[in-house]
Amino acid sequence: MTITEQPFRGWSPEAVVFDCDGTLMDTEEHWQDARRRAFREFGLRPAPGFAERAKGVHYLDCGRMMAEEADKAHLAPELTESLLAHFMERVAEDPVTMPGAAEFVRSLSGRLPLAVASNCPLAVVERSLERAGLLSHFGHIVVPGDPGPTGATTGNTGGGTTGSTDGGTLIRPKPWPDVYATAARLCGARSERTLAVEDSLTGIESARRAGLRVVGVGDRPADGRADTVDLWVPTLNAPELLELDWVRPG
């Protein structure tokens, strides 16, 4: 569906699933800084435009991209480890929410099931949301399962976070649909009646492939690649979002 003046007429969600980085938490600058630090640590330089290509990419894939674009493919494991370590340091130092994000989450909390679907490791998502005072509002956190014996990891925050596999099936990172499809199911909602809130084209593709409707947030790409969203807003306190019937309390 392309953007319209009244994109949600006659429709309301059964659940809302948020991306974390760049949607709830202002961490893109942290990722960029972590990439710069990791490149510098190994005496490498990113290729022009790398920051934009890396936006929304799973950190394991980002580490591989960093190594391949520097023509140092053998350094992928070390670069990935360095990238994540630097990022977690920055998050711990400076947890910042995106404009309107905390207020929007709190306005929906208790009225709709809420979840997070992220390409970040579970510990990073939990730490970010906890430091921002938002973790308790989400019933589930769904992240990709890293390769290895643990499989796909989901977190249920309703009384302490627990890790489990999603029926033994590996949850793949965005742009695969897995994280959003799993989050909708855990919320007890049909995919077509679940709303995704996303800032990246990678995440938007993931949500649409899972059958969710989408609100895009942030700077709208000028090349038309975001035309599949139902509504695009600059921030989560934008009037065109807050005035929707299902957003207004009561």
Side-chain angles (χ1 to χ4, degrees):
M1 179 179 291
T2 57
I3 190 168
T4 63
E5 291 184 2
Q6 295 180 301
F8 294 106
R9 175 184 288 177
W11 185 91
S12 61
E14 296 176 8
V16 181
V17 183
F18 292 82
D19 171 57
C20 187
D21 284 6
T23 300
L24 294 174
M25 303 300 300
D26 189 0
T27 52
E28 183 53 35
E29 183 177 338
H30 296 348
W31 278 117
Q32 290 187 30
D33 187 47
R35 290 190 289 265
R36 286 193 294 266
R37 292 185 185 190
F39 273 124
R40 190 163 56 244
E41 187 176 321
F42 287 86
L44 304 174
R45 286 190 174 186
F50 182 82
E52 185 60 30
R53 292 193 297 279
K55 186 176 181 181
V57 174
H58 188 261
Y59 80 98
L60 290 174
D61 295 325
C62 186
R64 283 192 289 269
M65 286 172 58
M66 293 170 69
E68 290 168 1
E69 294 201 13
D71 199 25
K72 300 286 184 180
H74 63 285
L75 290 178
E78 291 87 349
L79 277 167
T80 301
E81 183 178 353
S82 175
L83 170 66
L84 184 58
H86 286 305
F87 175 72
M88 293 186 74
E89 287 176 8
R90 293 292 290 117
V91 168
E93 294 168 359
D94 185 29
V96 179
T97 56
M98 295 297 291
E103 295 81 3
F104 186 61
V105 168
R106 291 176 181 131
S107 74
L108 299 180
S109 182
R111 298 195 291 125
L112 288 169
L114 304 181
V116 173
S118 175
N119 264 356
C120 285
L122 183 61
V124 173
V125 178
E126 289 178 333
R127 181 179 300 181
S128 299
L129 295 176
E130 185 173 24
R131 290 287 301 276
L134 295 178
L135 183 61
S136 63
H137 295 287
F138 296 101
H140 302 278
I141 297 172
V142 182
V143 301
D146 295 342
T150 58
T153 304
T154 65
N156 186 324
T157 65
T161 302
T162 58
S164 64
T165 59
D166 183 42
T169 302
L170 183 73
I171 296 179
R172 298 165 295 184
K174 306 171 188 177
W176 293 96
D178 303 20
V179 288
Y180 277 108
T182 300
R185 180 181 58 77
L186 290 173
C187 286
R190 295 167 288 176
S191 291
E192 67 272 17
R193 296 304 297 261
T194 302
L195 180 73
V197 185
E198 263 287 353
D199 74 303
S200 74
L201 295 173
T202 299
I204 290 168
E205 180 181 349
S206 171
R208 295 301 284 178
R209 289 173 68 182
L212 278 65
R213 298 187 72 168
V214 182
V215 167
V217 61
D219 295 329
R220 184 183 177 92
D223 58 8
R225 289 183 296 164
D227 287 347
T228 58
V229 303
D230 297 276
L231 175 67
W232 195 284
V233 293
T235 62
L236 290 177
N237 54 11
E240 55 266 45
L241 177 62
L242 299 183
E243 291 172 2
L244 293 171
D245 290 341
W246 53 267
V247 176
R248 292 198 301 261

